[in-house]
Amino acid sequence: MAAGTLVPGINAGSEKHPQTTSEKDSVTENEVTDPGVPRMTPATLKKFCKENQGYECPELNEVLTLHYKGFRKIEGLSAYSNVRSLFLECNGIAKIENLEAMPLLTSLYLQSNCIRRMENLGKLVHLQYLNLNNNHISEVENLSECKSLETLKLSSNKITDVSALTELTNGPTLKDVDISCNYIEDGDALIEFWTKTKSLPDIECVYIHHNPCSRMLKDSRRRLISSLPKLRWMDDRPVTAMERVGCEAWAEGGKEAEHLAKQGYWKKEKEKKEYNTYALHQLQEAHAARAQAQKEAEAIRDAERAKAAAELEATGKLSRDFISVPARPPAAALEAQEAPQESDSRAKMRAKVDALLASRRRKETQAEDLQPAQQPQELVEASPSEEESNAAAEEPAAEEEDQPFEWSGFRDRRLGRWVADFRYNFKKAAAALSEEFQSTVSEAECRARYGALCRPTKKAESEAALTAKDVRAEASRAAKDGPPPSAAAVDEVSKWWSRKIARGPIEGEGASLKLNAPATGTAQYATPSEAGLLADLSDQRADEALEATAWSKRSEAVPGPWDSLAGASALGSSGLFTPPPRSALHNEPEEVKANEAPASAPKLSSAQAPDLFELD
């Protein structure tokens, strides 16, 4: 090339200089302002929130997921003040900035970006997790303000010297530090940094593998475990209790002491397992012995009971250690006795409902029998008796005509129930009220009425200062001295109940009262056999609660001579049966007097076979 020739695009006399920090920032700003680079605009953030099942309102989001979006700069996050977790990994972010608007941030994910410095973290006082893996960071810095930081991930960065880790000592709350896959070559200095520093007392997990010094380090695991008392994970595996015992012994006496310490620990663990196994076997044997003893005792009681039954059938006399109790009636008889009698008011209500249903069926039948509109309709004059019956039957139906809706105390309570059942959906509550009372009420009226009922009054504020005792006393006085319900209120509830029975349940009714109550069943009793039912009183302890409920209900329905014998009151404080005095028995049954009857007493039939209880 001839001298003085100018090459296009290169100025004569110019020299190539490395880019300064200001030049790099300007290049980054130019990249960010490039229209082809995604930006964190409010519309973009709202779109990503909706895609990740978040909220359109920025203040409601606690998790913000913005990874793999191609962002170059952190911006536009001032409205997201309640975010706790921010995911920004796998973008092109070059600087940590504009996070001051997130004071509640606890987890920050910035791995796989282009970050060169740890900066602008002073406002994140609640930050607990910081992930900066796969970046270009060469020094740990600006951690003194992060008073809550527990986990710091710095794997696969540009850290080359141990002195770059000095800032870790300003984070006394650190528990998990990862500096693996960096370029640290001084292995002894790295181990001494962890063993001699006293600023990280709570460190639990350390990752230092895959550094250039890792292959040349000797006894690095033993040295770190013996120096860090709370360390429970190092590099690729956990720190076991046996390993800790061995490492601490190694630090004091070498490998021989480590071997002996591990042997002693292993023996102690073996003895502990053997003792636990022996204790388990002892418990199993004791349980088996108790079960065998119970079976033998039950067999003896069954034999004695059978012997007493045979003696009673042969001679009509009971054994000395047994007493007679009348046989229990079958379950069907108990249910018939316990069935409540229908009251007069309930009978009248049922009659009204039947009349209402009959009138509706009559209307449906008449509608089916009508001829087409073009044919003349035949009118049949009803007899006086039929007219009277139709008027009486259609009287409840006339009540269903749409009437202007007027609020009352009962309707206020129904409004509260429907609002609770429909989870404050006033539109559904208004439709249910309109159908229930055959009167139209709007959603706005229901909402206004509910708000007025929930608004505290001066009386309620004054009652709030009363004690629980005063409230109960006032309630008892109001219950005793209060006036009887008005005829209009009673009539309204009666009409509502008639419509409810005729209509059936409305969809959604009772949703707030559905509970998973345990199923209860009626006690079933078997029909006595020909030889009678003989029961040892010690057997009655197991089902004492069930027997007490069933017999107490039966005694209340139909009193009998067995009331003082078979009830729960016949059991003493020790759980054994205590026979009542003869004066407590009314109309004593013949079976109980069998001991005093002569030997020629007639045999009992299978229907009259009694239960026999052994006296302790």
Side-chain angles (χ1 to χ4, degrees), residues 248-266:
E248 291 176 354
W250 173 86
E252 296 179 359
K255 290 188 176 181
E256 184 176 356
E258 177 186 7
H259 182 67
L260 294 175
K262 287 185 176 181
Q263 280 187 346
Y265 181 84
W266 180 81

Side-chain angles (χ1 to χ4, degrees), residues 351-370 382 385-398:
K352 291 184 179 180
V353 173
D354 293 341
L356 175 61
L357 297 177
S359 64
R360 287 190 173 183
R361 286 193 296 268
R362 189 179 298 104
K363 287 182 178 180
E364 294 175 358
T365 305
Q366 292 175 358
E368 293 176 356
D369 296 340
L370 287 178
S385 58
E386 293 178 353
E387 293 178 356
E388 293 176 0
S389 60
N390 292 340
E394 295 176 359
E395 181 180 354

Side-chain angles (χ1 to χ4, degrees), residues 455-466:
R455 191 177 301 113
T457 59
K458 295 182 178 180
K459 181 179 179 181
E461 295 175 356
S462 62
E463 290 179 353
L466 298 177

Side-chain angles (χ1 to χ4, degrees), residues 28 96 173 178 291 342 356 362 367 391 579 585:
T28 304
I96 304 175
T173 58
D178 185 1
E342 191 172 24
L356 175 61
R362 189 179 298 104
L585 298 178

Side-chain angles (χ1 to χ4, degrees), residues 261-568:
K262 287 185 176 181
Q263 280 187 346
Y265 181 84
W266 180 81
K267 289 181 180 180
K268 288 182 180 179
E269 289 295 317
K270 183 180 179 181
E271 292 175 357
K272 185 178 180 180
K273 291 180 180 178
E274 290 178 352
Y275 174 78
N276 291 338
T277 305
Y278 173 76
L280 178 61
H281 290 167
Q282 292 292 323
L283 289 175
Q284 291 176 346
E285 292 176 0
H287 177 72
R290 285 196 300 269
Q292 184 64 25
Q294 290 177 359
K295 289 182 180 179
E296 293 176 357
E298 185 176 356
I300 294 173
R301 287 195 299 268
D302 291 342
E304 293 178 355
R305 192 178 297 113
K307 182 179 178 181
E311 182 179 353
L312 176 62
E313 184 178 1
T315 63
K317 290 185 178 181
L318 286 173
S319 178
R320 181 179 179 181
D321 298 331
F322 285 85
I323 62 171
S324 176
V325 175
R328 301 168 183 171
L334 285 178
E335 293 178 357
Q337 294 174 1
E338 294 174 0
Q341 298 293 333
E342 191 172 24
S343 61
D344 296 339
S345 59
R346 190 177 182 86
K348 293 179 180 179
M349 183 70 68
R350 185 174 297 278
K352 291 184 179 180
V353 173
D354 293 341
L356 175 61
L357 297 177
S359 64
R360 287 190 173 183
R361 286 193 296 268
R362 189 179 298 104
K363 287 182 178 180
E364 294 175 358
T365 305
Q366 292 175 358
E368 293 176 356
D369 296 340
L370 287 178
Q371 298 179 356
Q374 62 271 17
Q375 298 180 3
Q377 298 181 355
E378 298 180 358
L379 301 179
V380 181
E381 184 177 358
S383 60
S385 58
E386 293 178 353
E387 293 178 356
E388 293 176 0
S389 60
N390 292 340
E394 295 176 359
E395 181 180 354
E399 299 173 356
E400 298 181 359
E401 297 179 359
D402 196 0
Q403 299 291 337
F405 196 88
E406 296 181 1
W407 293 104
S408 63
F410 178 69
R411 298 191 179 189
D412 291 341
R413 288 191 291 273
R414 294 304 300 166
L415 172 64
R417 174 52 56 199
W418 283 122
V419 170
D421 287 346
F422 289 119
R423 302 295 183 89
Y424 292 89
N425 190 331
F426 286 91
K427 184 177 181 180
K428 293 184 178 180
L433 276 179
S434 301
E435 182 180 354
E436 194 173 36
F437 291 100
Q438 300 297 322
S439 300
T440 303
V441 59
S442 64
E443 176 185 359
E445 292 176 351
C446 290
R447 190 181 299 275
R449 185 65 176 179
Y450 190 82
L453 294 174
C454 294
R455 191 177 301 113
T457 59
K458 295 182 178 180
K459 181 179 179 181
E461 295 175 356
S462 62
E463 290 179 353
L466 298 177
T467 62
K469 183 177 180 181
D470 296 336
V471 172
R472 287 195 297 269
E474 182 65 23
S476 63
R477 288 194 297 270
K480 294 178 181 179
D481 304 333
S486 62
V490 174
D491 184 60
E492 181 183 18
V493 174
S494 301
K495 294 178 181 178
W496 170 84
W497 185 249
S498 301
R499 288 192 297 267
K500 180 179 177 63
I501 296 176
R503 182 194 66 246
I506 300 176
E507 183 179 359
E509 184 174 7
S512 62
L513 299 177
K514 291 182 180 178
L515 302 174
N516 294 327
T520 57
T522 307
Q524 301 295 330
Y525 300 104
T527 305
S529 61
E530 294 183 358
L533 300 176
L534 302 181
D536 192 351
L537 292 176
S538 58
D539 296 341
Q540 193 155 331
R541 301 174 189 172
D543 55 348
E544 176 182 342
L546 181 62
E547 296 254 357
T549 304
W551 282 83
S552 61
K553 289 183 177 180
R554 189 186 67 176
S555 62
E556 292 174 2
V558 180
W562 53 79
D563 294 344
S564 57
L565 282 176

Side-chain angles (χ1 to χ4, degrees), residues 13-236:
S14 63
E15 297 181 359
K16 186 177 181 180
H17 299 284
Q19 290 181 339
T20 61
T21 304
S22 60
E23 292 175 351
K24 292 179 181 179
D25 294 341
S26 63
V27 172
T28 304
E29 291 293 337
N30 292 334
E31 292 179 354
V32 171
T33 55
D34 189 347
V37 177
R39 299 286 300 275
M40 292 187 185
T41 61
T44 304
L45 295 177
K46 185 180 295 185
K47 173 186 174 183
F48 291 143
C49 286
K50 293 175 65 176
E51 290 179 356
N52 294 284
Q53 299 181 355
Y55 301 95
E56 294 186 5
C57 183
E59 292 81 2
L60 298 179
N61 291 281
E62 295 186 355
V63 178
L64 192 57
T65 305
L66 301 173
H67 57 292
Y68 294 97
K69 305 302 181 187
F71 295 130
R72 299 291 186 269
K73 183 179 179 181
I74 303 175
E75 57 183 345
L77 300 177
S78 57
Y80 295 84
S81 57
N82 292 321
V83 171
R84 266 71 170 177
S85 299
L86 179 59
F87 295 85
L88 287 170
E89 66 269 23
C90 299
N91 284 287
I93 298 172
K95 184 179 180 180
I96 304 175
E97 58 183 343
N98 299 324
L99 296 177
E100 297 82 4
M102 297 182 175
L104 303 178
L105 194 65
T106 59
S107 301
L108 180 58
Y109 298 84
L110 288 168
Q111 64 269 28
S112 301
N113 279 286
C114 304
I115 300 173
R116 298 179 180 275
R117 291 190 59 194
M118 298 173 59
E119 55 186 343
N120 300 322
L121 299 173
K123 300 296 183 180
L124 306 179
V125 294
H126 297 286
L127 188 64
Q128 299 179 4
Y129 182 94
L130 178 59
N131 194 334
L132 293 169
N133 293 337
N134 297 293
N135 280 284
H136 304 292
I137 298 173
S138 59
E139 183 180 1
V140 181
E141 54 186 342
N142 299 320
L143 292 181
S144 57
E145 298 297 330
C146 299
K147 302 298 183 180
S148 302
L149 188 63
E150 296 181 355
T151 302
L152 179 61
K153 301 291 185 180
L154 292 170
S155 176
S156 301
N157 276 279
K158 308 296 183 183
I159 301 175
T160 59
D161 193 2
V162 178
S163 60
L165 304 176
T166 307
E167 186 65 17
L168 292 176
T169 59
N170 293 329
T173 58
L174 282 173
K175 296 182 179 180
D176 186 350
V177 178
D178 185 1
I179 55 173
S180 61
C181 302
N182 277 280
Y183 300 92
I184 301 175
E185 297 182 355
D186 193 351
D188 293 333
L190 180 61
I191 298 299
E192 289 179 359
F193 171 79
W194 295 107
T195 57
K196 292 185 178 181
T197 182
K198 303 298 181 183
S199 301
L200 299 172
D202 298 330
I203 197 72
E204 296 179 0
C205 302
V206 173
Y207 304 86
I208 61 173
H209 59 302
H210 299 302
N211 275 286
C213 63
S214 299
R215 65 187 67 180
M216 296 180 292
L217 284 174
K218 186 178 180 181
D219 297 326
S220 60
R221 190 172 180 88
R222 291 189 179 95
R223 292 163 67 181
L224 283 179
I225 293 175
S226 60
S227 302
L228 301 175
K230 294 185 178 181
L231 190 66
R232 57 184 179 85
W233 191 282
M234 181 178 174
D235 291 340
D236 56 349

